[in-house]
Amino acid sequence: MDTKEKLDDALYTETYLGKVGELTLKGSNMHLFEKQLVCNARVALEAVDAKVHTQAGRLYVRCTKASCPGVEYALDHLLGITGWAKVRTVDKDISAIRRAVTEIALEAKGPGARSFKIEARREDKSFPLNSYAICAQAAGEVFDGGILAVDLHRPDVVVHVEVRKQCYVYSDQKKTCRGLPVGVSGKGLLLLSGGLDSPVAGWRMMRRGMKVECAYFHSYPYTSEEAQKKVETLAAIIADYGMDTHLNIIPFTDVQMRIKQKAPEAYSTLMLRLCMMKAANLLARRIQADCIITGESLGQVASQTVENLAVTESFAEFPLFRPLLGMDKEEIVDGAREIGTYDISILPYEDCCVLFSPRHPVLKASVDEARRIYEDMDIDALVQQAFDSRRIIRYAVRDSIGKQFATKPFVSQSGMLCEGKDHAPAQGHQGSAD
């Protein structure tokens, strides 16, 4: 071991192991997915003292003790792993393994555990004991000493032993969001509102490896500043899963007033959706997105009947992804709770879709009739004007971790960008561990 390795061992005393799950099913290009996963983890952890690498289907993070909270936050939000655990790194010796297992059993007994089992995996075939022998011999002190009883079917605690290049022993595993690393499946533009649905839709596409940018349509003073702040908070939350995002705030007051003046009342919500799609086309083209994402769910509201969804899609110039289409509200609520957006989404600040809703909306519009009404409004110039007047706010997980858990100075890349400019890192401020 050279001097640098010795210094690293002295500094980076804590180790985390992440299980990559779906990535192991990939073929000859698996290394590309692992490379993206490592890149994402390293970017997220730029504000703390940590080192990241993958090996044989595992993600490893070594860090200083002070960096543990930041590492755990990053792993909780890192897409591409099925779960993680803080591990003990021990010598590849059955006596060292046995001691680590005993320590874990004693720690588990305190909160009330009564039984255990060991699951061993021997990746290093040069290790003299097979998996069964490792389980039998590592359990000796715990069982013989009466610390915990053995229960192979419903144990209170499961101790994992992995013999690889190094030996890792751990018990508590935390499940995460699974999926693919963000960045392996192109870029999508999410139409983000303040409701429950769209943040979950964006998150579900992030789980499939898609980089997601956001567009929000704001109609001040008919929608309040609190409604915009609500959406900004939602964008920040989903950015922690998607590495980063740009929230494009598009002022739609003039567009909505033209709809109110020119469109039949029954068609007002549908016309608003079509104008949003027109603006989304402009933005998707500007940011070179591959698709547009919405939080629509079949039959949930009047604008989401089969016929009305077909009308909306006829105005899209990019593939239109609706990841919630077959989900009911309870499933969507469960998703919102899982990612932490539920409590924000239910705040009582209504968006522009709600405030201008007709009493009796059209349920089965035709594409031809909707297009005729849209053209009669002569509204494209107002949509273009709204697009050109957009404001952009960037959110990044590295900054979220830095602000909460930094162990070294970092430069924030989040914040307001120039109006109507292409997405680029903003001038950041100096962050610190304070």
Side-chain angles (χ1 to χ4, degrees):
M1 184 181 294
D2 61 25
T3 303
K4 185 178 184 304
E5 289 177 325
K6 290 179 180 178
L7 289 173
D8 282 351
D9 284 345
L11 181 62
Y12 298 96
T13 57
E14 313 302 312
T15 302
Y16 291 83
L17 178 152
K19 297 185 177 181
V20 299
E22 185 178 349
L23 270 63
T24 60
L25 303 177
K26 302 301 177 183
S28 58
N29 63 344
M30 177 180 167
H31 68 284
L32 299 176
F33 290 82
E34 287 189 333
K35 182 178 179 181
Q36 186 68 59
L37 180 66
V38 170
C39 177
N40 290 352
R42 287 174 176 167
V43 169
L45 293 170
E46 284 181 358
V48 299
D49 296 290
K51 293 180 177 292
V52 182
H53 73 281
T54 56
Q55 187 175 41
R58 294 288 187 264
L59 176 79
Y60 297 98
V61 181
R62 296 177 64 206
C63 66
T64 61
K65 195 171 188 63
S67 298
C68 286
V71 170
E72 292 176 8
Y73 186 92
L75 292 175
D76 280 341
H77 292 79
L78 183 65
L79 297 174
I81 60 173
T82 61
W84 60 267
K86 191 174 184 180
V87 304
R88 288 169 164 82
T89 305
V90 302
D91 294 335
K92 284 199 285 188
D93 172 80
I94 193 61
S95 296
I97 295 171
R98 188 183 298 116
R99 284 193 298 272
V101 170
T102 303
E103 289 171 2
I104 290 174
L106 288 168
E107 290 175 2
K109 185 176 182 178
R114 295 183 178 182
S115 61
F116 82 113
K117 77 170 181 178
I118 296 176
E119 292 185 356
R121 181 169 181 172
R122 185 185 61 152
E123 195 73 26
D124 180 3
K125 302 305 181 185
S126 67
F127 191 73
L129 301 177
N130 62 23
S131 296
Y132 179 81
I134 293 171
C135 291
Q137 294 194 32
E141 288 186 14
V142 178
F143 179 70
D144 295 340
I147 300 172
L148 296 175
V150 173
D151 186 340
L152 299 181
H153 303 290
R154 300 183 65 181
D156 294 326
V157 61
V158 179
V159 181
H160 299 267
V161 178
E162 297 194 11
V163 181
R164 298 174 176 272
K165 185 177 179 180
Q166 292 180 287
C167 184
Y168 304 99
V169 184
Y170 58 97
S171 59
D172 295 329
Q173 292 188 86
K174 186 165 184 181
K175 292 183 179 180
T176 56
C177 299
R178 307 185 303 279
L180 301 174
V182 171
V184 301
S185 299
K187 181 194 291 187
L189 173 63
L190 172 67
L191 304 191
L192 181 64
S193 71
L196 287 161
D197 304 336
S198 54
V200 178
W203 170 71
R204 290 182 72 86
M205 295 311 301
M206 290 172 180
R207 286 180 64 195
R208 303 315 304 154
M210 181 167 283
K211 175 79 171 64
V212 172
E213 307 286 10
C214 301
Y216 165 62
F217 299 92
H218 189 58
S219 295
Y220 183 81
Y222 301 103
T223 49
S224 65
E225 289 300 318
E226 288 84 359
Q228 178 178 313
K229 292 295 182 184
K230 174 180 171 181
V231 175
E232 291 174 9
T233 302
L234 293 172
I237 291 172
I238 64 172
D240 283 356
Y241 295 95
M243 300 306 300
D244 70 351
T245 194
H246 295 85
L247 175 62
N248 292 263
I249 302 170
I250 302 175
F252 240 43
T253 305
D254 292 344
V255 171
Q256 285 203 262
M257 295 309 298
R258 176 67 62 86
I259 292 171
K260 188 173 179 63
Q261 294 164 2
K262 297 284 189 177
E265 182 186 0
Y267 279 81
S268 59
T269 297
L270 187 58
M271 289 301 110
L272 178 60
R273 298 293 297 177
L274 299 186
C275 291
M276 289 178 175
M277 195 57 61
K278 283 285 191 175
N281 291 332
L282 296 172
L283 183 54
R285 189 174 299 110
R286 174 67 63 87
I287 66 175
Q288 299 182 324
D290 301 297
C291 65
I292 295 170
I293 307 162
T294 73
E296 292 164 313
S297 173
L298 182 61
Q300 186 175 161
V301 294
S303 65
Q304 295 173 20
T305 62
V306 169
E307 295 83 359
N308 289 353
L309 289 175
V311 171
T312 303
E313 189 157 357
S314 72
F315 275 64
E317 298 172 11
F318 292 78
L320 189 57
F321 288 4
R322 297 177 170 117
L324 309 186
L325 194 63
M327 297 176 67
D328 62 28
K329 200 65 178 183
E330 188 173 340
E331 292 172 307
I332 295 169
V333 166
D334 288 344
R337 291 186 191 279
E338 181 177 353
I339 65 176
T341 57
Y342 177 81
D343 289 336
I344 305 301
S345 291
I346 63 172
L347 292 174
Y349 306 121
E350 294 179 327
D351 61 26
C352 56
C353 294
V354 174
L355 291 173
F356 286 83
S357 295
R359 287 176 294 177
H360 303 290
V362 62
L363 298 177
K364 296 184 178 182
S366 72
V367 172
D368 290 341
E369 179 66 8
R371 191 169 291 277
R372 182 192 65 77
I373 294 172
Y374 180 87
E375 290 174 354
D376 286 347
M377 292 191 301
D378 189 25
I379 204 168
D380 282 341
L382 288 179
V383 173
Q384 181 70 54
Q385 180 181 323
F387 169 74
D388 292 337
S389 301
R390 74 194 185 281
R391 293 178 294 132
I392 306 169
I393 306 175
R394 185 176 191 266
Y395 302 95
V397 64
R398 65 179 294 280
D399 298 334
S400 177
I401 291 173
K403 291 170 185 176
Q404 298 176 78
F405 309 111
T407 60
K408 59 184 179 182
F410 76 102
V411 177
S412 175
Q413 296 176 354
S414 296
M416 183 73 72
L417 306 186
C418 296
E419 294 186 9
K421 297 295 184 181
D422 292 337
H423 298 173
Q427 291 296 317
H429 63 272
Q430 188 73 18
S432 72
D434 295 336

